[in-house]
């Protein structure tokens, strides 16, 4: 199958080549912004410009609901959605240029690594993790402010409200716990640094489950977009429309469930593991602050209380461990203090402040 046939299979139909002036403008602006945003990486603006300006770039017709730009690694080309103004193309170009920097191919030209994504013989691992990471750094380059948005009845903070908001939120949660430097290195230079650190802090089984769940979220959203397009494009009767609508509803329910389960797994894996390593009152204070601040990263639904309950339980456990340390007694025989009992009583009263304005 040739390149154009493969693109058509994904709904991409080439219209024409992007003019040289536009290509150079995009390459120059993006190169400068990457270097300005990440000075410690010591990128060369001149070298990045040369690399980006040599990429073939095309205008194309694309399916509704999908990204306005697409990097196709088989011919190292970028396809932009026809009709998008040049000044708007830049924010889409950043994401695709980063993909180009990420790719690692074998001697036969086969892609086997793209940042945090690994291409195995039979399966691809970490595609959603990588997409979320790339979009997080794209938002940082564009200096996009964080806002509270609502998707699939989940209210969550994100700096990317229009592109991969669920993935970006979960990757941001991981980054808060693991570190942005590790994420940056693995995203831009296709290393295992972030993965290994995540395994160390969360556990191997837990990390692999989180990685799989992120992929599940990505693929489920793609299915929802395709079904929405099917309803718009097909001459559907009421019966067929209802069937498609029910499929979309079920996908949304599963997506919401997967998001919350993944979120719970992220914070519980990390904080459970860290709790067992606490040996001093200073470490307890750091742990307490880190857990408290985690509320600023989570997504919530109307009946979601998992983090609330977890927080109250951990505050009680911390009180017990704190008393055991200062009294130099065995942790296993410490009785619950009055303060610990108060924490338990507050379980159903504890609530976190969230921003009032939400985008429906």
């Amino acid at each position: 199958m040739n390149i154009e046939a493969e693109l058509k299979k994904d709904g991409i139909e080439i219209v024409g080549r992007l003019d040289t002036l536009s290509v150079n403008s995009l390459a120059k602006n993006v190169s400068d912004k990457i270097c300005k945003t990440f000075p410690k990486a010591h990128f060369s603006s001149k070298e990045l410009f040369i690399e980006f300006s040599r990429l073939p770039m095309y205008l194309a017709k694309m399916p509704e609901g999908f990204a306005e730009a697409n990097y196709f690694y088989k011919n190292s080309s970028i396809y932009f959605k026809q009709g998008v103004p040049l000044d708007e193309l830049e924010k889409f170009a950043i994401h695709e240029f980063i993909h180009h920097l990420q790719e690692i191919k074998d001697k036969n030209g086969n892609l086997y690594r793209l940042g945090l994504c690994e291409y195995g013989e039979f399966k691809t691992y970490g595609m959603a993790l990588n997409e979320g990471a790339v979009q997080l750094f794209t938002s940082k380059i564009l200096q996009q402010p964080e806002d509270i948005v609502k998707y699939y009845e989940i209210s969550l903070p994100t700096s990317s409200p229009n592109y991969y908001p669920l993935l970006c939120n979960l990757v941001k949660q991981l980054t808060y716990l693991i570190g942005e430097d590790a994420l940056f290195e693995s995203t831009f230079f296709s290393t295992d640094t972030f993965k290994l650190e995540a395994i160390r802090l969360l556990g191997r089984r837990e990390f692999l489950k989180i990685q799989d769940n992120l992929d599940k979220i990505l693929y489920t959203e793609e299915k929802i977009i395709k079904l929405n397009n099917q309803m718009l494009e097909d001459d559907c009767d009421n019966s067929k429309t209802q069937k498609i609508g029910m499929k979309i509803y079920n996908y949304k329910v599963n997506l919401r469930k997967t998001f919350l389960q993944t979120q719970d797994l992220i914070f519980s894996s990390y904080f459970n593991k860290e709790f067992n390593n606490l040996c001093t009152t200073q470490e307890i204070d750091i742990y307490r602050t880190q857990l408290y601040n985690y509320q600023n990263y989570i997504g919530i639904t109307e009946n979601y209380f998992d983090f609330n309950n977890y927080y109250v339980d951990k505050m009680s456990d911390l009180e017990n461990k704190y008393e055991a340390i200062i009294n130099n007694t065995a942790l296993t025989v410490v009785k619950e203090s009055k303060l610990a009992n108060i924490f338990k009583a507050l379980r159903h009263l504890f609530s976190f402040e969230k921003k009032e304005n939400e985008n429906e």
Side-chain angles (χ1 to χ4, degrees):
M1 187 182 294
N2 61 34
I3 297 296
E4 287 199 26
E6 286 197 51
L7 291 170
K8 274 193 173 183
K9 188 178 177 183
D10 293 330
I12 300 173
E13 185 178 341
I14 299 173
V15 173
R17 191 103 180 216
L18 190 65
D19 64 275
T20 303
L21 184 63
S22 297
V23 168
N24 289 338
S25 176
L26 288 174
K28 178 69 167 62
N29 291 341
V30 174
S31 298
D32 289 346
K33 287 182 177 180
I34 288 177
C35 291
K36 182 180 178 181
T37 306
F38 308 111
K40 292 182 181 179
H42 302 294
F43 286 122
S44 166
S45 182
K46 182 179 179 180
E47 290 178 4
L48 287 180
F49 169 76
I50 293 172
E51 185 75 20
F52 295 152
S53 62
R54 289 175 176 173
L55 291 175
M57 302 184 200
Y58 299 90
L59 296 175
K61 295 179 182 178
M62 295 187 181
E64 288 299 321
F66 286 88
E68 276 78 1
N70 191 292
Y71 179 72
F72 198 65
Y73 76 89
K74 289 189 177 180
N75 60 353
S76 297
S77 299
I78 298 177
Y79 299 88
F80 294 105
K81 190 172 184 178
Q82 184 186 29
V84 178
L86 180 61
D87 57 347
E88 287 288 305
L89 284 184
E90 185 179 311
K91 64 183 180 183
F92 307 124
I94 293 171
H95 188 106
E96 309 312 318
F97 284 172
I98 294 175
H99 276 325
H100 175 67
L101 293 176
Q102 291 183 312
E103 68 176 13
I104 298 179
K105 297 179 179 179
D106 62 23
K107 60 183 180 181
N108 296 318
N110 298 313
L111 184 70
Y112 68 87
R113 187 72 185 254
L114 194 70
L116 294 143
C117 179
E118 300 176 62
Y119 291 81
E121 185 177 356
F122 302 107
K123 187 178 178 181
T124 301
Y125 303 91
M127 179 175 288
L129 176 60
N130 189 59
E131 287 296 339
V134 170
Q135 188 55 39
L136 271 182
F137 286 119
T138 297
S139 298
K140 186 167 185 173
I141 292 168
L142 292 170
Q143 298 182 326
Q144 291 180 327
E146 193 165 89
D147 196 7
I148 302 294
V149 298
K150 194 170 186 178
Y151 283 92
Y152 310 108
E153 299 182 18
I154 306 169
S155 296
L156 50 87
T158 181
S159 58
S160 180
N162 298 317
Y163 305 98
Y164 303 119
L166 301 183
L167 294 179
C168 285
N169 174 269
L170 291 172
V171 176
K172 188 69 175 288
Q173 291 186 41
L174 285 168
T175 306
Y176 170 68
L177 301 174
I178 298 166
E180 187 177 88
D181 288 345
L183 185 71
F184 177 84
E185 181 183 322
S186 291
T187 301
F188 278 83
F189 303 109
S190 297
T191 71
D192 285 331
T193 303
F194 186 82
K195 175 182 176 180
L196 294 176
E197 188 67 1
I199 289 173
R200 183 180 74 84
L201 294 172
L202 306 177
R204 175 176 293 276
R205 184 178 62 182
E206 288 78 7
F207 170 74
L208 294 178
K209 179 62 176 176
I210 290 166
Q211 181 176 256
D212 286 345
N213 280 358
L214 292 174
D215 284 338
K216 189 184 297 184
I217 289 171
L218 176 64
Y219 299 142
T220 301
E221 287 199 279
E222 289 179 354
K223 290 175 183 177
I224 291 173
I225 291 171
K226 288 178 180 178
L227 287 171
N228 279 327
N229 286 340
Q230 186 178 335
M231 280 204 297
L232 292 173
E233 295 170 3
D234 292 355
D235 186 16
C236 299
D237 55 28
N238 288 336
S239 177
K240 189 172 183 180
T241 300
Q242 287 179 356
K243 288 181 179 178
I244 295 175
M246 183 55 66
K247 282 185 179 180
I248 292 174
Y249 173 80
N250 290 332
Y251 278 136
K252 287 182 177 180
V253 170
N254 289 331
L255 192 150
R256 185 164 58 249
K257 181 180 178 181
T258 302
F259 175 92
L260 294 175
Q261 287 178 341
T262 307
Q263 174 174 272
D264 291 352
L265 183 57
I266 291 172
F267 69 72
S268 63
S269 299
Y270 175 84
F271 286 107
N272 286 349
K273 210 165 187 291
E274 283 297 296
F275 182 85
N276 293 329
N277 297 327
L278 298 176
C279 297
T280 68
T281 56
Q282 184 180 14
E283 289 174 347
I284 288 176
D285 290 338
I286 294 172
Y287 178 100
R288 182 185 288 112
T289 301
Q290 189 179 27
L291 178 58
Y292 177 79
N293 289 337
Y294 198 85
Q295 66 176 296
N296 299 318
Y297 295 86
I298 65 171
I300 60 171
T301 59
E302 186 177 354
N303 296 311
Y304 176 80
F305 303 106
D306 293 7
F307 182 74
N308 171 21
N309 295 337
Y310 184 87
Y311 179 88
V312 172
D313 285 341
K314 273 292 172 278
M315 288 300 102
S316 174
D317 293 340
L318 284 174
E319 177 65 16
N320 289 335
K321 179 165 275 199
Y322 191 94
E323 288 189 6
I325 290 173
I326 62 176
N327 292 324
N328 195 26
T329 59
L331 297 180
T332 54
V333 298
V334 174
K335 295 182 180 179
E336 290 186 338
S337 67
K338 291 182 180 179
L339 185 56
N341 289 328
I342 291 174
F343 275 126
K344 286 193 174 181
L346 286 173
R347 176 186 299 279
H348 299 296
L349 297 177
F350 190 92
S351 62
F352 295 113
E353 293 183 1
K354 301 294 281 185
K355 294 182 182 179
E356 293 181 357
N357 296 325
E358 294 181 349
N359 296 326
E360 297 294 332

